Amino acid sequence: LRETGHEAMAGCLVVPIIEDGNVLGVYGRRIVDARPREGQSRHLYLKGPHRGVWNVEALSASREVTVCEAAFDALSFWAHGHRAVTWAYGVNGFTDEMLAAMKRHGTERVAIAYDADEAGDRAAEELAPRLAEAGIEVRRVLFPRETKDANAYAQKLLASGADVSH
């Protein structure tokens, strides 16, 4: 609850970030107000530093993981059968905790699936050497510029009747 007594994530789809049975954080995507008021974000997190790795189980289940820029992109991969996926907290949101978890679980390869825009490209270029220094092979997933990200690309393919399960 906010200081005003109102629910902080009202009108949002809420995705918890759970590790070892503990909720370390939550992501909220505003869905009730499709167009937020001035100064209001569609993407909400709890106050304070970002904690945890969403779908940390993927790191122990697979030596290769896809890292998306945002929650809905990772959830799009998940919904279409690609379980070895997680997300950073935005273009500048890949944390030291995420890197440590990858090292701890023996991640060998990361496919960076950030948005196909200037910010996503720049963030991927900055993340790649950081992962490489940790001994992790890096690949870049490139989406068509007109679809921009994994979620939009999946929606486009689904609308066309394409099979997006692989």
Side-chain angles (χ1 to χ4, degrees), residues 63-163:
R63 295 289 171 239
E64 181 169 351
V65 67
T66 300
V67 177
C68 295
E69 180 179 320
F72 271 40
D73 297 327
L75 291 170
S76 293
F77 274 98
W78 177 272
H80 295 98
H82 182 69
R83 301 291 195 246
V85 63
T86 190
W87 81 70
Y89 299 100
V91 289
N92 299 312
F94 189 87
T95 66
D96 291 339
E97 184 178 6
M98 291 173 182
L99 182 58
M102 288 180 177
K103 289 180 187 178
R104 187 172 60 252
H105 290 285
T107 301
E108 295 173 0
R109 284 174 303 286
V110 167
I112 302 173
Y114 283 13
D115 292 3
D117 60 15
E118 188 177 321
D121 291 341
R122 186 174 44 255
E125 288 173 13
E126 291 171 5
L127 178 57
R130 192 170 164 199
L131 293 168
E133 286 174 16
I136 299 171
E137 181 183 330
V138 180
R139 297 180 182 167
R140 175 77 161 107
V141 177
L142 297 174
F143 299 104
R145 291 278 183 199
E146 68 273 6
T147 56
K148 189 178 172 188
D149 61 30
N151 183 260
Y153 186 62
Q155 287 180 38
K156 180 180 178 181
L157 290 176
L158 287 170
S160 73
D163 178 12

Side-chain angles (χ1 to χ4, degrees), residues 2 11 25 33 35 37 43 47 52 112 119 127 152:
R2 295 183 184 155
D33 300 322
R35 285 179 243 162
R37 293 185 301 273
H43 309 279
K47 288 183 180 182
I112 302 173
L127 178 57

Side-chain angles (χ1 to χ4, degrees), residues 40-53:
Q40 201 177 42
S41 177
R42 289 178 40 199
H43 309 279
L44 304 172
Y45 294 97
L46 295 177
K47 288 183 180 182
H50 296 302
R51 295 184 48 224
V53 178

